[in-house]
Amino acid sequence: MSFEHCAELVEQADPDRFMAAMAAPPAARKVLFPLYAFNVEVTRAPWASTEPMISEMRLQFWRDVLEDIVKGRPTRAHPVAETLADVITAEHCAGLDRLVAARRWDIYKDPFEDAAHFNQYLSETGGELMWAAASCLGSSAADRDAIVSYGASVALARFFQAIPELERHGRIPLVDGRPDAIAHLAQQALEVAKPKTGGKAALKEGWMRNVILGQVAKSPTRVSNGSLGTSPFGKQWRLLIA
């Protein structure tokens, strides 16, 4: 039942990625749900406790899972870890380890050091996740940079939506929070082209990217007031187009 557990976890915690995975061919779902469930577990870990050490330990668990896969050791007794080990290979683990390490920023209240640090965070979270999925589904190494860049732009759209909640928790999400700077950031991300590659099912999670980034580029104050997004019907229509 590990695969079913992964699918249910993604449905509950990450409905947009769940819808994207359900729009993919059944064979691709066998890859997407374990990876997306892994991402849910890693994303939750920094918020599991107000004690940073506990959150660090939860992230370290997933780094240890990846190390077990690299070294061919038995998988830890966790439904997501067990299913993930059936999907990825050792070559995927370095990028996913960077994903886990990048989530340490979520534990603490320190701001990003600069724009490069912020961009690295997006690339190592959303970018590496998308690349792992695309690679498992047939993308070649030559497409890696384009897929990571596209994944980072999708991650930015999601990050914009999360900003009100991050601020409620005392975080400083953006390096430059001026409306003009936010609009420019969104416009730059919009200019990142969707790659033409194998493993296209992995790119479906970007189905709301243009909507969100377009809203921010046009009206950056929607970030702070939490009004980004569209109606359920609009989301379904966008997914159908994707």
Side-chain angles (χ1 to χ4, degrees), residues 126-171:
E128 292 291 357
L129 179 66
M130 185 175 285
W131 165 246
S135 177
C136 288
L137 293 173
S139 290
S140 69
D143 297 322
R144 174 181 160 77
D145 289 348
I147 292 171
V148 170
S149 294
Y150 181 70
S153 72
V154 174
L156 177 62
R158 291 173 175 271
F159 192 85
F160 280 142
Q161 292 179 288
I163 280 178
E165 186 67 17
L166 289 169
E167 290 179 336
R168 279 193 289 272
H169 282 86
R171 303 300 201 271

Side-chain angles (χ1 to χ4, degrees), residues 98-117:
R98 287 191 290 272
L99 182 158
V100 181
R103 286 293 177 185
R104 294 186 65 248
W105 180 86
D106 296 351
I107 298 175
Y108 304 99
K109 294 186 178 181
D110 299 329
F112 290 105
E113 297 171 7
D114 49 29
H117 183 203

Side-chain angles (χ1 to χ4, degrees), residues 91-236:
E91 66 180 289
H92 301 112
C93 291
L96 293 177
D97 184 71
R98 287 191 290 272
L99 182 158
V100 181
R103 286 293 177 185
R104 294 186 65 248
W105 180 86
D106 296 351
I107 298 175
Y108 304 99
K109 294 186 178 181
D110 299 329
F112 290 105
E113 297 171 7
D114 49 29
H117 183 203
F118 179 62
N119 291 334
Q120 179 183 0
Y121 174 87
L122 297 175
S123 294
E124 292 182 347
T125 52
E128 292 291 357
L129 179 66
M130 185 175 285
W131 165 246
S135 177
C136 288
L137 293 173
S139 290
S140 69
D143 297 322
R144 174 181 160 77
D145 289 348
I147 292 171
V148 170
S149 294
Y150 181 70
S153 72
V154 174
L156 177 62
R158 291 173 175 271
F159 192 85
F160 280 142
Q161 292 179 288
I163 280 178
E165 186 67 17
L166 289 169
E167 290 179 336
R168 279 193 289 272
H169 282 86
R171 303 300 201 271
I172 303 173
L174 295 170
V175 176
D176 188 342
R178 294 173 301 164
D180 287 351
I182 294 173
H184 180 66
L185 192 62
Q187 186 58 49
Q188 282 186 313
L190 273 172
E191 293 170 4
V192 176
K194 183 177 180 180
K196 295 180 180 179
T197 177
K200 291 181 180 180
L203 309 185
K204 288 184 184 293
E205 65 151 307
W207 58 289
M208 284 294 292
R209 183 196 80 141
N210 289 0
V211 173
I212 302 301
L213 294 179
Q215 289 173 344
V216 177
K218 183 177 180 180
S219 181
T221 56
R222 295 184 68 166
V223 173
S224 59
N225 63 31
S227 65
L228 295 173
T230 186
S231 67
F233 175 79
K235 292 181 72 173
Q236 292 176 356

